[in-house]
Amino acid sequence: MKTRWAIGAACALVLLVVCAGIVYAANYSGRALPGTTVAGTPVAGMTRDQVIAAVNERADAATVTLTVEGKTTEASLNEAGVTVEVDETADAAMKGSTSLPAFVSAIFSKRDVEPVLTVSDESIKKLAATANSTLTSEMKDASVIVAEDGESFTVTPAQNGNGVSTEDVASAVKQAGTTLTSVTQDVSVRQMEPSITTENAEAVAEKANALLDTPIEISDGIDTFTAERSDKVKWVEFLTKDDGSLDDPSISTVKVADWVNALAAKTDVKPENRVDNVDSEGNVLTTAREGKKGLKTNNTEEITKDVVAAMTDGKAYEGLFHYDDVEPGSETKQVAEGTENLVYQAAEGEKWVDINLSDATVTAYVGGKVAGGPFYMVPGAPNTPTVTGTFHVYLKYDVQTMRGENADGTKYETEGVPWVTYFTGSYAMHGAPWRSSFGWSGYGGSHGCVNMPVDAAKFIYDWTDMGDTVVVHY
């Protein structure tokens, strides 16, 4: 009989293992084992991603509600300072999910996984402060703040009063995190003394204001840039000690780096790519623009470190940016047919204006085709010549009063100048109704502008767009 019983038991055990293997293979391979819960909620049979989703859903729904003297303060779990580390929590829930023996063992046992949490003490303090703000007689720590002038620090004094214990708040927060459920807790109020006294804050503010007197200058080799007090105010941080009182002021490396990097960016020089004019087959015709090297600061981290050290020690600092050359790239511009022999090789469809000082004409082009003109004009007189070069339309007036100086230094003023199109500085194309003839240059010319018949000036005014190229040449 004993032998038969032993054989039967062995067979039953084998059958159990076989059945377990079949169930495991069909339903649990790579999934949370039977009897597995996370913070009391079953996750058996879930994949790792499903466990993560379930934990996230519960964490997002959980809140902490503090009731203080009948007034409530509510915060989400995250706002209360709890971050649920879902990956680590899921890893703990999935332990043994790839093991058949672990599956067999799990059939006869249960396992509750506690969520892995990161708790922010600062967030808990903020939640306690929010709850305290509902009290009529609230205890307030002293604080160091930026004064109205934006260039110094001042103090808001401490205030004795009632408050809630951060330990009580932390208990409610951690309970919500551990259970992944919403928690409502009545928090008792007690007479409290500030952790940051007025005297403590005043002493720290005095040290902070002394730091702001530290001269900080950085040069790019040409100009020198000085950190203003309003800049340095942003660099100072006020941290607390373990007992809750204010520590001595410190300098934020991140804030200093922001200032240094922004300053460096202003001094950096962007490279200008070389531009070659090419025909439709890609053959280089001319060079439209030579490339220019740029400059990029290479020692901002070192300067940031030095500024932080100088500010911390209250010692004057003079720094110098160092630069690496930035090589220009190259690009091509396919020019329009018919521009090969023109003064400017425009792209197909590109609008531009040709001001020819040799024959005193203005011609509007689209690519290599004439769109208007040539219009006869009168350029600047010999002692007030029209500037030459390649420019761009940047300003327009349908009518304007023009003022300036004659060559002898006397002032002039001309009212009602029509259809004014500026292309660089004070140089413009405009109508000149006071002239009876055009198409010549020399003495009796303009103060430097391009004088045109009124209808021609209006055409240029209407036809050009801001940014259109204007080439002035002989």
Side-chain angles (χ1 to χ4, degrees), residues 12 65 78 81 112 121 130 170 195 208 213 218 268 282 305 318 331 337 355 371 380 392 420 441 457:
T65 303
N78 187 257
D112 187 51
D121 291 337
T130 302
S195 298
D213 293 330
I218 301 176
D268 288 344
K305 181 180 177 181
E318 294 181 2
E331 55 189 274
E337 296 293 335
I355 300 178
H392 301 277
V420 184
S441 60

Side-chain angles (χ1 to χ4, degrees), residues 404-412:
E405 286 189 357
N406 296 302
D408 61 5
T410 58
K411 305 291 184 180
Y412 73 85

